[in-house]
Amino acid sequence: MATLTVTDIVVSEADGFAEFIVRLDGTAPGVVTVQYQNTNYSAIHNKDYRYVDGTLTFAPGETTKTVRLELIDTCATSSSTRKPAPPPSRCASATTTASPQALR
């Protein structure tokens, strides 16, 4: 029987993106198709990240796929919009743990 796993990752908003590695463990009798979408968990849609959804298709013998999530760097100062950067204390710890619960 085949199972899917997604490992927690830690990212900074300044990284620009987060990549989740989705692993198919075990044996599948053929093609495995999985639909996914991200949801608010420890980060907020359109504040911390851009929404993403889609379908992963594992061909026979394939064991890994990647889901890439665009991050919004709220600690950067934008000269075009003239928005001030958040206080340095917030930006110094602007990391999040992205977990499998964020992909459903």
Side-chain angles (χ1 to χ4, degrees):
M1 177 179 206
T3 59
L4 289 171
T5 57
V6 182
T7 305
D8 287 357
I9 58 174
V10 176
V11 294
S12 169
E13 290 178 352
D15 291 340
F17 63 90
E19 287 188 338
F20 292 91
I21 306 299
V22 181
R23 296 190 191 288
L24 178 64
D25 300 316
T27 305
V31 174
V32 174
T33 303
V34 179
Q35 293 181 335
Y36 67 89
Q37 67 183 37
N38 60 344
T39 59
N40 292 341
Y41 188 65
S42 65
I44 307 298
H45 171 238
N46 278 340
K47 178 180 178 282
D48 299 307
Y49 67 90
R50 301 278 181 226
Y51 178 80
V52 65
D53 66 0
T55 302
L56 299 177
T57 302
F58 291 85
E62 271 189 305
T63 59
T64 61
K65 293 286 184 178
T66 302
V67 174
R68 187 174 176 132
L69 179 68
E70 181 185 353
L71 303 176
I72 300 170
D73 187 356
T74 56
C75 289
T77 302
S78 173
S79 59
S80 62
T81 59
R82 301 197 185 274
K83 291 197 286 188
S89 60
R90 184 198 180 286
C91 292
S93 62
T95 61
T96 188
T97 299
S99 67
Q101 289 82 10
L103 289 178
R104 296 187 183 259

